[in-house]
Amino acid sequence: MASVSVKEQPAYPKTLSSIVASVGGLALFLILASTILVSQPIGSTVRGYFYGVDHSREIDSIFTLNESVSTVSTLNEPVSSVSTLKESVSGFNSQHDDGGSITIGGGDGQETVVDKKQTPDSQDKNELSSLRQEEIKNLKDESPHSNISQQETGNKSSALPEFTEGDENAPSNNTQTELKDAVTSSPTANNRSQSDVVDSGCDLYHGKWIYESTGPLYSNNSCPIITQMQNCQGNGRPDKDYENWRWKPSQCDLPRFEAKKFLELMRGKTLAFVGDSVARNQMESMLCILWQVEVPKNRGNRRMQRYYFRSTSTMIVRIWSSWLVHQTSEPFDFAPAGVTKLHLDAPDEVFMKYIIDFDVIVLSSGHWFAKQSVYILNNEIVGGQLWWPDKSRQKKIDNIEAFGISVETIVTALVTHRNYTGLTIVRSFSPDHYEGGAWNTGGSCIGKVKPALDSELVENGFTNIMHKKQVTGFNRAVKKKTNKSKMKLMDITESFSYRHDGHPGPYRSPDPNKITKRGPDGRPPPQDCLHWCMPGPVDTWNELVCEVMRREFEDRQNIAS
């Protein structure tokens, strides 16, 4: 009888309920784990992986500015609701003769030793030649899509002895009708902005100059980047006491600049100086102070100067912007090609596209409004400086009104930019000290070796009225603020009206044969009484900048805590 083999029965899976319990437990674990990863500090990495977003700010050790253009509704269009515009057009009825136009030194970026044979363009190229050689060598692969040569070189004009018409070193030929009220008005302190001038702490802008034997923060020999025309000691100026006067606010002390503390304050941040050659003067002062503790890496290019301090990932930037508003040389209405046209109601897009990369911006403008230019407002030619071909047409605004409008335009653009959250410091109008005439009519600052006493102070009507227009434009603009940025007016105009001793004067060149004394007929030699010696009073501007920044950053930390 055949035997029957019985096969072993196979093992069956667990019950259905066991399976469901296992799957549910695994799902619960995954959910809890995902929640913990996203919510904890590692969450920024996880969010970046899953969503492509990381809101933490990364400090790039090889800092490069964002080349993409920031979208601003006002870049190529007039700034909306500029309250000055209609008032200026409708309220200005004075007739002005071009020959008697007010001309104060126009910032043309010509900071090298002036050669009578040189054009403004060639002088400017000499100023930047050594810098650009290094820039081009280091940045061959960088392909700029903008060029600042048009802004930085200024307008070519007929040569004058040592100066050109509207030159930055040239101050004003004051017309009495425009300045009568300014000369007899109250001091510039009465024009001070009522908002944001005084931050936490005391008023920094009322005080006096005191002599301090400690000496300057650097010397002309310890800073290799001083523009030659402001290297007064290197150019043979015999006195040095102008380096030793410090500003003392009435109710507190202005801290002496400490470079290491400043760099720590600016850790991971970018400070940009934007404007004319007076902005360059201040930027070089800042670099000279910082140079004493760390030599920066030059990361500049043909768009801007950039100096990187590796120890704290701090960047100091300078961008040239003559008027801070949009400009073009293209033909417009009855203004031909070649003459600079200023769209007073549109900001300068050359630097506006970079502002979201800046933590602090210091603005400088005013002196270029003496240069030849055409003023356009609401798409209409409303005035001009050193240009008005049709005498049958009436000018609606002059260069002083144009300056006030430009200030309101650029400040409005900054305080309404949706992505700009930085601190902007508007440095007030920097006074010149050409006494006894204009730059080309015998004006001089020779022999000034200490700050002026009250009895020696010479009222400068043009400076006063330019300051007044600047403050008015600033105050109108800050009322329109819609973003999280901060806007401060650094009002140095009154305090620096006493510093007639701080300019290069005739010591603009190392030429041993230069003329430094008056001639037999009493006429003074050509000189610069607009820019500031380095070291010198200009270093005080950066001590003020440092204190304004310290107060602002501390306020932010207190609010955050």
Side-chain angles (χ1 to χ4, degrees):
M1 180 177 181
S3 63
V4 178
S5 63
V6 180
K7 294 184 179 179
E8 187 176 343
Q9 296 294 324
Y12 287 93
K14 295 180 180 180
T15 63
L16 180 61
S17 60
S18 299
I19 296 174
V20 171
S22 300
V23 172
L26 179 60
L28 181 62
F29 171 78
L30 291 175
I31 292 172
L32 289 174
S34 300
T35 303
I36 292 171
L37 286 173
V38 172
S39 61
Q40 294 305 310
I42 195 174
S44 60
T45 304
V46 176
R47 282 192 295 268
Y49 180 81
F50 284 110
Y51 308 119
V53 176
D54 183 358
H55 294 287
S56 61
R57 182 174 181 179
E58 181 181 6
I59 303 301
D60 188 353
S61 61
I62 310 175
F63 185 97
T64 54
L65 289 175
N66 187 355
E67 297 295 339
S68 62
V69 178
S70 302
T71 57
V72 186
S73 59
T74 56
L75 283 187
N76 295 313
E77 300 175 3
V79 172
S80 60
S81 302
V82 178
S83 56
T84 314
L85 308 188
K86 292 184 179 178
E87 296 174 19
S88 300
V89 172
S90 61
F92 184 83
N93 297 314
S94 300
Q95 300 274 344
H96 297 278
D97 178 79
D98 285 337
S101 299
I102 293 178
T103 56
I104 194 167
D108 52 8
Q110 302 163 14
E111 320 311 340
T112 55
V113 179
V114 177
D115 186 330
K116 295 180 182 180
K117 297 180 181 180
Q118 285 183 313
T119 65
D121 295 82
S122 62
Q123 294 171 26
D124 188 67
K125 290 176 181 178
N126 288 340
E127 176 193 359
L128 298 177
S129 61
S130 60
L131 170 65
R132 287 184 175 174
Q133 286 174 4
E134 181 178 352
E135 293 168 356
I136 293 170
K137 179 180 179 181
N138 295 334
L139 301 167
K140 288 181 179 180
D141 296 332
E142 194 160 352
S143 178
H145 50 255
S146 64
N147 194 310
I148 62 171
S149 60
Q150 174 69 25
Q151 290 83 10
E152 190 145 358
T153 54
N155 300 303
K156 292 183 179 180
S157 54
S158 58
L160 295 171
E162 295 293 310
F163 288 101
T164 54
E165 186 66 36
D167 186 75
E168 172 98 43
N169 299 326
S172 60
N173 295 318
N174 297 337
T175 56
Q176 295 299 318
T177 56
E178 290 173 329
L179 303 181
K180 181 178 179 181
D181 292 337
V183 172
T184 58
S185 66
S186 57
T188 57
N190 294 335
N191 297 328
R192 183 166 285 114
S193 166
Q194 297 302 309
S195 63
D196 285 344
V197 170
V198 180
D199 201 28
S200 60
C202 76
D203 177 2
L204 296 172
Y205 310 113
H206 281 96
K208 61 182 179 181
W209 293 95
I210 60 172
Y211 187 83
E212 186 176 279
S213 58
T214 307
L217 296 164
Y218 58 94
S219 72
N220 65 300
N221 293 321
S222 68
C223 182
I225 60 159
I226 300 176
T227 295
Q228 191 62 50
M229 288 183 71
Q230 279 77 68
N231 187 354
C232 299
Q233 290 299 305
N235 292 338
R237 180 167 171 171
D239 63 299
K240 291 194 67 173
D241 277 354
Y242 65 89
E243 297 180 348
N244 297 324
W245 292 86
R246 294 198 71 245
W247 178 245
K248 171 67 172 67
S250 298
Q251 300 176 350
C252 63
D253 290 321
L254 176 63
R256 186 175 176 86
F257 197 110
E258 295 187 48
K260 290 184 178 180
K261 287 186 177 180
F262 178 83
L263 287 173
E264 190 60 41
L265 183 69
M266 284 293 296
R267 178 174 289 276
K269 296 181 176 64
T270 299
L271 166 62
F273 293 91
V274 181
D276 51 24
S277 64
V278 183
R280 175 206 49 74
N281 205 170
Q282 184 177 0
M283 184 273 289
E284 288 185 358
S285 164
M286 175 66 78
L287 287 175
C288 284
I289 297 171
L290 299 179
W291 211 285
Q292 307 312 299
V293 298
E294 181 180 348
V295 176
K297 174 66 176 177
N298 182 355
R299 297 193 184 281
N301 55 50
R302 282 167 285 182
R303 293 182 298 284
M304 67 184 75
Q305 291 177 281
R306 299 187 298 178
Y307 289 87
Y308 178 70
F309 292 84
R310 186 181 299 276
S311 65
T312 57
S313 298
T314 299
M315 187 74 76
I316 306 296
V317 172
R318 178 207 169 202
I319 298 180
W320 180 270
S321 181
S322 312
W323 290 275
L324 300 181
V325 293
H326 176 65
Q327 65 180 92
T328 178
S329 60
E330 298 300 318
F332 186 94
D333 197 3
F334 60 93
V339 181
T340 300
K341 290 90 180 169
L342 303 181
H343 291 262
L344 297 175
D345 46 6
D348 182 1
E349 72 283 359
V350 172
F351 85 88
M352 281 295 293
K353 64 185 178 181
Y354 296 116
I355 64 171
I356 62 173
D357 293 301
F358 301 149
D359 299 279
V360 182
I361 298 175
V362 179
L363 294 179
S364 168
S365 67
H367 295 290
W368 267 68
F369 280 86
K371 298 282 286 185
Q372 184 188 60
S373 52
V374 178
Y375 304 140
I376 300 173
L377 196 59
N378 298 325
N379 217 33
E380 174 191 359
I381 295 178
V382 293
Q385 171 68 3
L386 301 178
W387 180 89
W388 198 252
D390 189 351
K391 302 301 180 182
S392 66
R393 297 174 184 260
Q394 182 179 355
K395 291 182 181 180
K396 296 180 180 180
I397 65 172
D398 64 354
N399 61 334
I400 297 172
E401 291 290 336
F403 174 53
I405 295 170
S406 73
V407 172
E408 184 174 357
T409 293
I410 189 58
V411 174
T412 299
L414 289 167
V415 298
T416 59
H417 190 293
R418 67 178 63 183
N419 296 320
Y420 177 58
T421 59
L423 166 65
T424 301
I425 300 173
V426 178
R427 199 208 62 243
S428 66
F429 192 79
S430 178
D432 72 88
H433 291 92
Y434 287 89
E435 297 179 10
W439 66 273
N440 57 350
T441 59
S444 172
C445 53
I446 289 179
K448 308 299 182 182
V449 295
K450 63 181 180 179
L453 301 173
D454 286 334
S455 59
E456 300 172 325
L457 196 62
V458 177
E459 193 77 18
N460 189 323
F462 183 75
T463 293
N464 289 350
I465 197 169
M466 289 290 277
H467 175 264
K468 181 178 180 179
K469 293 295 181 182
Q470 183 182 34
V471 173
T472 299
F474 177 90
N475 284 337
R476 285 175 168 166
V478 294
K479 293 177 181 178
K480 307 170 192 175
K481 184 174 176 293
T482 60
N483 61 18
K484 295 181 180 180
S485 69
K486 295 289 185 178
M487 185 68 59
K488 305 293 178 182
L489 178 66
M490 195 177 85
D491 201 342
I492 56 86
T493 305
E494 182 181 18
S495 56
F496 274 72
S497 65
Y498 290 86
R499 294 310 308 267
H500 56 189
D501 59 321
H503 303 290
Y507 298 98
R508 306 177 303 152
S509 161
D511 180 5
N513 299 317
K514 60 180 174 291
I515 301 174
T516 60
K517 300 184 182 298
R518 294 180 181 269
D521 58 355
R523 290 182 61 84
Q527 54 196 286
D528 179 1
C529 301
L530 173 61
H531 295 92
W532 302 93
C533 290
M534 292 178 59
V538 68
D539 302 321
T540 300
W541 290 357
N542 289 317
E543 290 185 319
L544 289 166
V545 164
C546 184
E547 179 62 10
V548 170
M549 288 170 51
R550 183 193 64 78
R551 294 178 177 187
E552 174 58 28
F553 292 165
E554 285 185 357
D555 285 348
R556 291 185 183 182
Q557 290 176 356
N558 293 335
I559 292 173
S561 60

